[in-house]
Amino acid sequence: MQQGKEVVSIMKKIKESRSRKVFMVFNYIFLALFGFISLYPFWYVLVASLNTGRDFARGGVYFWPREFTLENFAQAFKDTRIFDSLTISVARTLLGVLLGLFFTALVAYALSIKTLPGKTFFTFFFYFTTIFSGGMIPYYMLLRDMGLTKSFWLYIVPTIYNFFNFLLLRTYFDTIPPELRESAQIDGAGEGKVLFRIYLPLSKPVIATLALFIGVGHWNDWFTGAYYQSRVSLYPAATLLQKILSEATASSTIKLGQETNLSAMTSYTSQSLQMAFVMLLTMPIVVVYPFLQKYYVKGVMVGSVKG
């Protein structure tokens, strides 16, 4: 009788093992297909940017360049606007991340203190302002009256504070034992020292996550430059790319300091040049993201579990 039970138990384990193996096979196949579907558009753009424009226009270029060339990137860099726009994008991204994290940390730390008078009111006030919007025209009038529509600070001042970022960071601060703050204050530390010496070093995962959120938001933002910036010289890279794509769609000529007819081109076209611009503007984010990825999931999960 005992042997029969053991045989049945072994058979169940064998079936479970086989079922698990089948599940893992299908799971890996699904993840591989999903990964391919997600990565292929980026790979296609890279292939198109490294292929001669006239050959790419013939079609049939899907997985690797048929006629390899760097002419598309050479032509892209001949447009002096790309250097100015990249400078604007890098400057707004770095400054936006630093100031955004700094002011968000100040607000989050203050409202994470349970004994702060008016804590509930201020939290609700910040939340309430995110529900309503005055619309594009009143927003533009506000920016104009503040003198931001012709200034680089147009990209920085309105984005210094974000309620979601504040909520994520404050939720993380709530997980830090208040005894650390109290013991530091007993030793003579002020609120600033407690924030920058204790809270922020313990919050590296969520800080990295917010830096990624803010940085990607600044780098990919084309709307602000296109609709609120009056000075063309202050266009960020994303806005320049949007303008270039619009020009290429509306016209059969490409502006790179001077107009060039498509019939006179030998190795690049408007489409292949667009692909080169896309690669130039997306590569910085692609390079930076892997270094912050290990903090990303942990930082977001804290907000979802604690909140």
Side-chain angles (χ1 to χ4, degrees), residues 86-148:
L86 285 174
T87 301
I88 295 296
S89 288
V90 171
R92 71 171 287 190
T93 300
L94 294 178
L95 193 58
V97 169
L98 291 176
L99 292 180
L101 290 177
F102 177 74
F103 285 103
T104 301
L106 293 182
V107 177
Y109 174 71
L111 293 180
S112 68
I113 300 175
K114 294 180 173 56
T115 58
L116 179 72
K119 172 184 176 181
T120 303
F121 168 78
F122 286 114
T123 302
F124 176 76
F125 174 78
F126 289 139
Y127 164 71
F128 187 77
T129 58
T130 65
I131 301 176
F132 305 99
S133 172
M136 288 183 60
I137 295 177
Y139 183 60
Y140 173 79
M141 295 174 63
L142 175 64
L143 295 176
R144 183 195 60 189
D145 294 341
M146 294 176 64
L148 296 177

Short mmCIF file of all heavy atoms in Angstrom, two decimals, residues 86-148:
data_model
loop_
_atom_site.label_atom_id
_atom_site.label_comp_id
_atom_site.label_asym_id
_atom_site.label_seq_id
_atom_site.Cartn_x
_atom_site.Cartn_y
_atom_site.Cartn_z
N LEU A 86 20.71 69.90 -29.92
CA LEU A 86 21.23 68.91 -28.98
C LEU A 86 21.78 69.59 -27.72
O LEU A 86 21.62 69.07 -26.61
CB LEU A 86 22.33 68.08 -29.65
CG LEU A 86 21.85 67.02 -30.64
CD1 LEU A 86 23.04 66.36 -31.34
CD2 LEU A 86 21.02 65.95 -29.95
N THR A 87 22.41 70.74 -27.90
CA THR A 87 22.89 71.49 -26.74
C THR A 87 21.74 71.91 -25.85
O THR A 87 21.81 71.79 -24.61
CB THR A 87 23.68 72.73 -27.20
OG1 THR A 87 24.78 72.32 -28.02
CG2 THR A 87 24.20 73.50 -26.00
N ILE A 88 20.66 72.41 -26.46
CA ILE A 88 19.48 72.81 -25.70
C ILE A 88 18.88 71.61 -24.98
O ILE A 88 18.52 71.68 -23.78
CB ILE A 88 18.43 73.46 -26.62
CG1 ILE A 88 18.96 74.76 -27.21
CG2 ILE A 88 17.13 73.71 -25.86
CD1 ILE A 88 19.23 75.84 -26.19
N SER A 89 18.78 70.47 -25.67
CA SER A 89 18.19 69.28 -25.06
C SER A 89 19.01 68.76 -23.90
O SER A 89 18.48 68.39 -22.84
CB SER A 89 18.01 68.19 -26.12
OG SER A 89 16.97 68.50 -27.01
N VAL A 90 20.33 68.71 -24.08
CA VAL A 90 21.20 68.23 -23.01
C VAL A 90 21.13 69.17 -21.80
O VAL A 90 21.03 68.73 -20.65
CB VAL A 90 22.66 68.11 -23.51
CG1 VAL A 90 23.60 67.83 -22.35
CG2 VAL A 90 22.76 67.00 -24.55
N ALA A 91 21.17 70.49 -22.07
CA ALA A 91 21.14 71.46 -20.98
C ALA A 91 19.82 71.39 -20.22
O ALA A 91 19.80 71.39 -18.98
CB ALA A 91 21.36 72.87 -21.53
N ARG A 92 18.70 71.33 -20.94
CA ARG A 92 17.40 71.30 -20.26
C ARG A 92 17.19 69.99 -19.51
O ARG A 92 16.56 69.97 -18.46
CB ARG A 92 16.26 71.54 -21.25
CG ARG A 92 15.98 70.40 -22.20
CD ARG A 92 14.71 70.60 -23.01
NE ARG A 92 13.52 70.42 -22.19
CZ ARG A 92 12.28 70.35 -22.68
NH1 ARG A 92 12.09 70.49 -23.98
NH2 ARG A 92 11.25 70.18 -21.88
N THR A 93 17.73 68.90 -20.06
CA THR A 93 17.58 67.61 -19.40
C THR A 93 18.37 67.56 -18.09
O THR A 93 17.84 67.18 -17.04
CB THR A 93 18.01 66.47 -20.32
OG1 THR A 93 17.20 66.47 -21.51
CG2 THR A 93 17.86 65.12 -19.64
N LEU A 94 19.64 67.96 -18.15
CA LEU A 94 20.47 67.94 -16.94
C LEU A 94 19.95 68.91 -15.89
O LEU A 94 19.79 68.54 -14.71
CB LEU A 94 21.91 68.28 -17.30
CG LEU A 94 22.66 67.27 -18.19
CD1 LEU A 94 24.06 67.77 -18.50
CD2 LEU A 94 22.72 65.92 -17.51
N LEU A 95 19.66 70.14 -16.31
CA LEU A 95 19.19 71.13 -15.36
C LEU A 95 17.79 70.77 -14.85
O LEU A 95 17.48 70.95 -13.67
CB LEU A 95 19.16 72.51 -16.02
CG LEU A 95 18.98 73.71 -15.09
CD1 LEU A 95 20.10 73.76 -14.04
CD2 LEU A 95 18.96 75.01 -15.90
N GLY A 96 16.95 70.26 -15.74
CA GLY A 96 15.61 69.86 -15.34
C GLY A 96 15.62 68.73 -14.33
O GLY A 96 14.83 68.73 -13.38
N VAL A 97 16.50 67.76 -14.53
CA VAL A 97 16.60 66.64 -13.59
C VAL A 97 17.09 67.11 -12.22
O VAL A 97 16.52 66.76 -11.18
CB VAL A 97 17.52 65.54 -14.14
CG1 VAL A 97 17.86 64.50 -13.07
CG2 VAL A 97 16.87 64.85 -15.34
N LEU A 98 18.14 67.94 -12.22
CA LEU A 98 18.70 68.41 -10.95
C LEU A 98 17.71 69.26 -10.16
O LEU A 98 17.47 69.03 -8.97
CB LEU A 98 19.99 69.21 -11.22
CG LEU A 98 21.18 68.40 -11.74
CD1 LEU A 98 22.35 69.33 -12.06
CD2 LEU A 98 21.60 67.34 -10.74
N LEU A 99 17.11 70.25 -10.83
CA LEU A 99 16.17 71.13 -10.14
C LEU A 99 14.88 70.38 -9.79
O LEU A 99 14.30 70.61 -8.71
CB LEU A 99 15.85 72.35 -11.01
CG LEU A 99 16.99 73.34 -11.22
CD1 LEU A 99 16.56 74.50 -12.10
CD2 LEU A 99 17.51 73.86 -9.88
N GLY A 100 14.43 69.50 -10.68
CA GLY A 100 13.22 68.74 -10.40
C GLY A 100 13.39 67.85 -9.18
O GLY A 100 12.51 67.80 -8.31
N LEU A 101 14.52 67.15 -9.09
CA LEU A 101 14.77 66.30 -7.94
C LEU A 101 14.94 67.12 -6.67
O LEU A 101 14.46 66.74 -5.59
CB LEU A 101 16.02 65.44 -8.18
CG LEU A 101 15.89 64.33 -9.22
CD1 LEU A 101 17.24 63.64 -9.40
CD2 LEU A 101 14.84 63.31 -8.80
N PHE A 102 15.62 68.25 -6.79
CA PHE A 102 15.89 69.09 -5.61
C PHE A 102 14.58 69.60 -5.00
O PHE A 102 14.33 69.41 -3.80
CB PHE A 102 16.78 70.26 -6.00
CG PHE A 102 17.05 71.22 -4.88
CD1 PHE A 102 17.92 70.89 -3.85
CD2 PHE A 102 16.41 72.46 -4.86
CE1 PHE A 102 18.16 71.78 -2.81
CE2 PHE A 102 16.65 73.35 -3.82
CZ PHE A 102 17.52 73.01 -2.80
N PHE A 103 13.75 70.23 -5.80
CA PHE A 103 12.52 70.82 -5.26
C PHE A 103 11.50 69.74 -4.90
O PHE A 103 10.74 69.91 -3.93
CB PHE A 103 11.93 71.81 -6.26
CG PHE A 103 12.68 73.11 -6.33
CD1 PHE A 103 13.55 73.37 -7.38
CD2 PHE A 103 12.54 74.06 -5.34
CE1 PHE A 103 14.25 74.56 -7.44
CE2 PHE A 103 13.24 75.26 -5.39
CZ PHE A 103 14.10 75.51 -6.44
N THR A 104 11.46 68.67 -5.64
CA THR A 104 10.56 67.57 -5.28
C THR A 104 10.96 66.96 -3.96
O THR A 104 10.11 66.62 -3.12
CB THR A 104 10.57 66.49 -6.38
OG1 THR A 104 10.15 67.07 -7.61
CG2 THR A 104 9.62 65.35 -6.03
N ALA A 105 12.28 66.82 -3.73
CA ALA A 105 12.76 66.27 -2.46
C ALA A 105 12.41 67.19 -1.30
O ALA A 105 12.04 66.72 -0.21
CB ALA A 105 14.27 66.06 -2.53
N LEU A 106 12.51 68.51 -1.50
CA LEU A 106 12.16 69.45 -0.42
C LEU A 106 10.70 69.31 -0.02
O LEU A 106 10.37 69.23 1.17
CB LEU A 106 12.45 70.89 -0.87
CG LEU A 106 13.92 71.28 -1.10
CD1 LEU A 106 14.01 72.74 -1.50
CD2 LEU A 106 14.77 71.01 0.14
N VAL A 107 9.81 69.28 -1.02
CA VAL A 107 8.38 69.19 -0.74
C VAL A 107 8.05 67.82 -0.13
O VAL A 107 7.30 67.72 0.85
CB VAL A 107 7.55 69.43 -2.02
CG1 VAL A 107 6.07 69.26 -1.74
CG2 VAL A 107 7.83 70.82 -2.57
N ALA A 108 8.61 66.76 -0.71
CA ALA A 108 8.31 65.40 -0.23
C ALA A 108 8.79 65.20 1.20
O ALA A 108 8.10 64.58 2.02
CB ALA A 108 8.94 64.37 -1.16
N TYR A 109 9.97 65.74 1.51
CA TYR A 109 10.49 65.58 2.87
C TYR A 109 9.62 66.33 3.87
O TYR A 109 9.30 65.80 4.95
CB TYR A 109 11.93 66.09 2.94
CG TYR A 109 12.50 66.10 4.33
CD1 TYR A 109 12.81 64.92 4.99
CD2 TYR A 109 12.69 67.31 5.01
CE1 TYR A 109 13.32 64.94 6.28
CE2 TYR A 109 13.20 67.34 6.29
CZ TYR A 109 13.51 66.15 6.92
OH TYR A 109 14.01 66.16 8.20
N ALA A 110 9.24 67.56 3.52
CA ALA A 110 8.43 68.35 4.44
C ALA A 110 7.09 67.67 4.72
O ALA A 110 6.65 67.58 5.88
CB ALA A 110 8.20 69.75 3.87
N LEU A 111 6.46 67.15 3.68
CA LEU A 111 5.13 66.55 3.86
C LEU A 111 5.20 65.09 4.30
O LEU A 111 4.16 64.46 4.47
CB LEU A 111 4.34 66.66 2.56
CG LEU A 111 3.98 68.10 2.15
CD1 LEU A 111 3.19 68.12 0.85
CD2 LEU A 111 3.18 68.78 3.26
N SER A 112 6.39 64.56 4.48
CA SER A 112 6.52 63.21 5.05
C SER A 112 6.62 63.26 6.58
O SER A 112 6.54 62.22 7.24
CB SER A 112 7.76 62.50 4.49
OG SER A 112 8.95 63.13 4.94
N ILE A 113 6.78 64.46 7.12
CA ILE A 113 6.85 64.63 8.58
C ILE A 113 5.43 64.62 9.14
O ILE A 113 4.61 65.48 8.80
CB ILE A 113 7.57 65.94 8.94
CG1 ILE A 113 9.00 65.92 8.38
CG2 ILE A 113 7.59 66.13 10.46
CD1 ILE A 113 9.75 67.22 8.58
N LYS A 114 5.14 63.67 9.96
CA LYS A 114 3.78 63.48 10.46
C LYS A 114 3.30 64.62 11.36
O LYS A 114 2.10 64.87 11.47
CB LYS A 114 3.68 62.14 11.21
CG LYS A 114 3.87 60.93 10.34
CD LYS A 114 3.76 59.66 11.13
CE LYS A 114 3.79 58.43 10.23
NZ LYS A 114 4.98 58.36 9.39
N THR A 115 4.21 65.33 11.98
CA THR A 115 3.82 66.41 12.90
C THR A 115 3.74 67.77 12.21
O THR A 115 3.53 68.78 12.87
CB THR A 115 4.83 66.48 14.06
OG1 THR A 115 6.16 66.70 13.53
CG2 THR A 115 4.82 65.20 14.87
N LEU A 116 3.91 67.80 10.89
CA LEU A 116 3.88 69.08 10.17
C LEU A 116 2.47 69.67 10.21
O LEU A 116 1.51 69.03 9.77
CB LEU A 116 4.32 68.88 8.72
CG LEU A 116 4.30 70.15 7.86
CD1 LEU A 116 5.44 71.09 8.27
CD2 LEU A 116 4.43 69.79 6.38
N PRO A 117 2.29 70.91 10.67
CA PRO A 117 0.95 71.53 10.68
C PRO A 117 0.45 71.75 9.25
O PRO A 117 1.19 72.22 8.37
CB PRO A 117 1.19 72.88 11.38
CG PRO A 117 2.46 72.69 12.16
CD PRO A 117 3.29 71.74 11.36
N GLY A 118 -0.80 71.41 8.98
CA GLY A 118 -1.38 71.60 7.66
C GLY A 118 -0.93 70.60 6.62
O GLY A 118 -1.10 70.83 5.42
N LYS A 119 -0.36 69.49 7.05
CA LYS A 119 0.14 68.48 6.11
C LYS A 119 -0.96 67.97 5.19
O LYS A 119 -0.78 67.90 3.96
CB LYS A 119 0.75 67.31 6.89
CG LYS A 119 1.13 66.12 6.03
CD LYS A 119 1.65 64.97 6.87
CE LYS A 119 1.93 63.75 6.01
NZ LYS A 119 2.41 62.62 6.81
N THR A 120 -2.13 67.65 5.74
CA THR A 120 -3.24 67.13 4.93
C THR A 120 -3.73 68.17 3.94
O THR A 120 -4.01 67.85 2.78
CB THR A 120 -4.39 66.68 5.85
OG1 THR A 120 -3.92 65.70 6.77
CG2 THR A 120 -5.52 66.08 5.02
N PHE A 121 -3.82 69.42 4.38
CA PHE A 121 -4.30 70.49 3.50
C PHE A 121 -3.37 70.69 2.31
O PHE A 121 -3.82 70.80 1.17
CB PHE A 121 -4.43 71.80 4.29
CG PHE A 121 -4.63 73.00 3.40
CD1 PHE A 121 -5.87 73.25 2.83
CD2 PHE A 121 -3.57 73.85 3.12
CE1 PHE A 121 -6.05 74.35 1.99
CE2 PHE A 121 -3.75 74.95 2.29
CZ PHE A 121 -4.99 75.20 1.73
N PHE A 122 -2.07 70.78 2.57
CA PHE A 122 -1.12 71.01 1.49
C PHE A 122 -1.09 69.84 0.52
O PHE A 122 -0.99 70.04 -0.70
CB PHE A 122 0.27 71.28 2.06
CG PHE A 122 0.42 72.63 2.68
CD1 PHE A 122 0.64 72.75 4.04
CD2 PHE A 122 0.33 73.77 1.92
CE1 PHE A 122 0.76 73.99 4.62
CE2 PHE A 122 0.45 75.03 2.48
CZ PHE A 122 0.66 75.14 3.85
N THR A 123 -1.17 68.62 1.03
CA THR A 123 -1.19 67.46 0.15
C THR A 123 -2.42 67.49 -0.76
O THR A 123 -2.33 67.25 -1.96
CB THR A 123 -1.18 66.16 0.97
OG1 THR A 123 -0.03 66.13 1.81
CG2 THR A 123 -1.16 64.95 0.06
N PHE A 124 -3.58 67.80 -0.18
CA PHE A 124 -4.80 67.89 -0.98
C PHE A 124 -4.72 69.05 -1.96
O PHE A 124 -5.19 68.94 -3.10
CB PHE A 124 -6.02 68.07 -0.08
CG PHE A 124 -7.30 68.25 -0.83
CD1 PHE A 124 -7.93 67.17 -1.43
CD2 PHE A 124 -7.86 69.51 -0.96
CE1 PHE A 124 -9.10 67.34 -2.15
CE2 PHE A 124 -9.03 69.69 -1.68
CZ PHE A 124 -9.66 68.61 -2.27
N PHE A 125 -4.12 70.16 -1.56
CA PHE A 125 -4.00 71.31 -2.45
C PHE A 125 -3.16 70.95 -3.68
O PHE A 125 -3.53 71.28 -4.82
CB PHE A 125 -3.36 72.48 -1.71
CG PHE A 125 -3.07 73.66 -2.58
CD1 PHE A 125 -4.08 74.53 -2.96
CD2 PHE A 125 -1.77 73.90 -3.03
CE1 PHE A 125 -3.80 75.61 -3.78
CE2 PHE A 125 -1.49 74.98 -3.83
CZ PHE A 125 -2.51 75.85 -4.22
N PHE A 126 -2.03 70.27 -3.47
CA PHE A 126 -1.19 69.87 -4.60
C PHE A 126 -1.93 68.90 -5.51
O PHE A 126 -1.82 68.98 -6.73
CB PHE A 126 0.10 69.23 -4.09
CG PHE A 126 1.05 70.22 -3.46
CD1 PHE A 126 1.75 69.89 -2.31
CD2 PHE A 126 1.24 71.47 -4.01
CE1 PHE A 126 2.61 70.80 -1.72
CE2 PHE A 126 2.10 72.39 -3.44
CZ PHE A 126 2.79 72.05 -2.29
N TYR A 127 -2.69 68.00 -4.90
CA TYR A 127 -3.46 67.05 -5.71
C TYR A 127 -4.58 67.75 -6.47
O TYR A 127 -4.81 67.47 -7.66
CB TYR A 127 -4.05 65.97 -4.81
CG TYR A 127 -5.16 65.17 -5.48
CD1 TYR A 127 -4.87 64.27 -6.50
CD2 TYR A 127 -6.49 65.35 -5.09
CE1 TYR A 127 -5.89 63.57 -7.12
CE2 TYR A 127 -7.50 64.64 -5.70
CZ TYR A 127 -7.20 63.76 -6.72
OH TYR A 127 -8.20 63.06 -7.34
N PHE A 128 -5.26 68.68 -5.82
CA PHE A 128 -6.41 69.36 -6.43
C PHE A 128 -6.00 70.13 -7.68
O PHE A 128 -6.75 70.18 -8.67
CB PHE A 128 -7.05 70.30 -5.41
CG PHE A 128 -8.32 70.93 -5.89
CD1 PHE A 128 -9.51 70.20 -5.89
CD2 PHE A 128 -8.34 72.24 -6.33
CE1 PHE A 128 -10.70 70.78 -6.33
CE2 PHE A 128 -9.52 72.82 -6.77
CZ PHE A 128 -10.71 72.09 -6.78
N THR A 129 -4.83 70.72 -7.69
CA THR A 129 -4.38 71.49 -8.84
C THR A 129 -4.06 70.63 -10.05
O THR A 129 -3.90 71.15 -11.16
CB THR A 129 -3.13 72.32 -8.48
OG1 THR A 129 -2.09 71.44 -8.01
CG2 THR A 129 -3.46 73.33 -7.39
N THR A 130 -3.94 69.32 -9.86
CA THR A 130 -3.66 68.43 -11.00
C THR A 130 -4.93 67.99 -11.70
O THR A 130 -4.86 67.39 -12.78
CB THR A 130 -2.90 67.17 -10.52
OG1 THR A 130 -3.75 66.41 -9.65
CG2 THR A 130 -1.63 67.55 -9.79
N ILE A 131 -6.09 68.25 -11.11
CA ILE A 131 -7.35 67.79 -11.69
C ILE A 131 -7.80 68.68 -12.85
O ILE A 131 -8.32 68.20 -13.86
CB ILE A 131 -8.46 67.74 -10.61
CG1 ILE A 131 -8.05 66.81 -9.48
CG2 ILE A 131 -9.79 67.28 -11.22
CD1 ILE A 131 -9.05 66.77 -8.33
N PHE A 132 -7.55 69.98 -12.74
CA PHE A 132 -8.07 70.94 -13.71
C PHE A 132 -6.93 71.58 -14.50
O PHE A 132 -5.81 71.70 -14.01
CB PHE A 132 -8.89 72.03 -13.02
CG PHE A 132 -10.01 71.50 -12.17
CD1 PHE A 132 -9.84 71.38 -10.79
CD2 PHE A 132 -11.20 71.10 -12.74
CE1 PHE A 132 -10.86 70.90 -10.01
CE2 PHE A 132 -12.22 70.60 -11.96
CZ PHE A 132 -12.06 70.50 -10.60
N SER A 133 -7.26 72.01 -15.72
CA SER A 133 -6.30 72.70 -16.57
C SER A 133 -7.00 73.87 -17.25
O SER A 133 -8.15 73.75 -17.68
CB SER A 133 -5.72 71.76 -17.62
OG SER A 133 -4.92 72.47 -18.55
N GLY A 134 -6.31 75.00 -17.35
CA GLY A 134 -6.91 76.16 -17.98
C GLY A 134 -6.95 76.09 -19.49
O GLY A 134 -7.63 76.89 -20.13
N GLY A 135 -6.20 75.13 -20.08
CA GLY A 135 -6.16 75.03 -21.53
C GLY A 135 -4.91 75.67 -22.10
O GLY A 135 -4.14 76.34 -21.40
N MET A 136 -4.71 75.48 -23.40
CA MET A 136 -3.48 75.93 -24.05
C MET A 136 -3.37 77.45 -24.09
O MET A 136 -2.30 78.00 -23.85
CB MET A 136 -3.40 75.36 -25.47
CG MET A 136 -3.09 73.88 -25.54
SD MET A 136 -2.93 73.32 -27.23
CE MET A 136 -1.58 74.34 -27.81
N ILE A 137 -4.46 78.14 -24.44
CA ILE A 137 -4.38 79.59 -24.61
C ILE A 137 -4.10 80.30 -23.29
O ILE A 137 -3.18 81.13 -23.21
CB ILE A 137 -5.67 80.12 -25.26
CG1 ILE A 137 -5.79 79.56 -26.69
CG2 ILE A 137 -5.67 81.65 -25.30
CD1 ILE A 137 -7.06 79.96 -27.40
N PRO A 138 -4.84 80.02 -22.21
CA PRO A 138 -4.49 80.65 -20.92
C PRO A 138 -3.08 80.28 -20.47
O PRO A 138 -2.37 81.13 -19.88
CB PRO A 138 -5.55 80.12 -19.96
CG PRO A 138 -6.70 79.76 -20.83
CD PRO A 138 -6.09 79.26 -22.09
N TYR A 139 -2.67 79.03 -20.73
CA TYR A 139 -1.33 78.61 -20.34
C TYR A 139 -0.27 79.39 -21.11
O TYR A 139 0.74 79.84 -20.55
CB TYR A 139 -1.17 77.12 -20.58
CG TYR A 139 0.16 76.55 -20.15
CD1 TYR A 139 0.58 76.62 -18.84
CD2 TYR A 139 1.00 75.93 -21.07
CE1 TYR A 139 1.81 76.11 -18.44
CE2 TYR A 139 2.22 75.41 -20.69
CZ TYR A 139 2.63 75.51 -19.37
OH TYR A 139 3.84 75.00 -19.00
N TYR A 140 -0.51 79.59 -22.41
CA TYR A 140 0.43 80.36 -23.22
C TYR A 140 0.48 81.81 -22.74
O TYR A 140 1.57 82.41 -22.67
CB TYR A 140 0.02 80.33 -24.69
CG TYR A 140 0.86 81.24 -25.55
CD1 TYR A 140 2.13 80.87 -25.96
CD2 TYR A 140 0.37 82.49 -25.95
CE1 TYR A 140 2.91 81.72 -26.75
CE2 TYR A 140 1.14 83.35 -26.72
CZ TYR A 140 2.40 82.95 -27.11
OH TYR A 140 3.17 83.79 -27.88
N MET A 141 -0.67 82.39 -22.43
CA MET A 141 -0.71 83.78 -21.93
C MET A 141 0.06 83.90 -20.63
O MET A 141 0.76 84.89 -20.39
CB MET A 141 -2.16 84.23 -21.77
CG MET A 141 -2.94 84.30 -23.07
SD MET A 141 -4.69 84.67 -22.84
CE MET A 141 -4.58 86.31 -22.11
N LEU A 142 -0.05 82.89 -19.77
CA LEU A 142 0.69 82.91 -18.51
C LEU A 142 2.19 82.85 -18.77
O LEU A 142 2.96 83.62 -18.17
CB LEU A 142 0.26 81.72 -17.65
CG LEU A 142 1.02 81.51 -16.34
CD1 LEU A 142 0.81 82.70 -15.41
CD2 LEU A 142 0.59 80.22 -15.65
N LEU A 143 2.61 81.97 -19.66
CA LEU A 143 4.03 81.87 -19.99
C LEU A 143 4.54 83.16 -20.62
O LEU A 143 5.65 83.61 -20.34
CB LEU A 143 4.26 80.69 -20.95
CG LEU A 143 3.97 79.29 -20.40
CD1 LEU A 143 4.16 78.25 -21.50
CD2 LEU A 143 4.86 78.98 -19.21
N ARG A 144 3.72 83.76 -21.48
CA ARG A 144 4.11 85.02 -22.12
C ARG A 144 4.27 86.14 -21.10
O ARG A 144 5.24 86.91 -21.14
CB ARG A 144 3.07 85.39 -23.17
CG ARG A 144 3.40 86.66 -23.97
CD ARG A 144 2.18 87.15 -24.71
NE ARG A 144 1.09 87.45 -23.77
CZ ARG A 144 -0.16 87.72 -24.16
NH1 ARG A 144 -0.48 87.68 -25.44
NH2 ARG A 144 -1.09 88.00 -23.25
N ASP A 145 3.32 86.25 -20.17
CA ASP A 145 3.40 87.30 -19.16
C ASP A 145 4.58 87.09 -18.22
O ASP A 145 5.10 88.06 -17.64
CB ASP A 145 2.10 87.34 -18.35
CG ASP A 145 0.90 87.77 -19.19
OD1 ASP A 145 1.13 88.37 -20.27
OD2 ASP A 145 -0.25 87.49 -18.79
N MET A 146 4.99 85.85 -18.07
CA MET A 146 6.17 85.56 -17.24
C MET A 146 7.47 85.75 -18.01
O MET A 146 8.55 85.63 -17.43
CB MET A 146 6.09 84.13 -16.70
CG MET A 146 4.95 83.89 -15.72
SD MET A 146 4.84 82.16 -15.20
CE MET A 146 6.40 81.98 -14.32
N GLY A 147 7.37 86.04 -19.30
CA GLY A 147 8.56 86.25 -20.12
C GLY A 147 9.31 84.98 -20.47
O GLY A 147 10.53 85.02 -20.73
N LEU A 148 8.59 83.86 -20.51
CA LEU A 148 9.25 82.57 -20.75
C LEU A 148 9.19 82.13 -22.20
O LEU A 148 9.92 81.21 -22.58
CB LEU A 148 8.61 81.49 -19.87
CG LEU A 148 8.77 81.66 -18.36
CD1 LEU A 148 8.03 80.56 -17.62
CD2 LEU A 148 10.25 81.66 -17.96
#
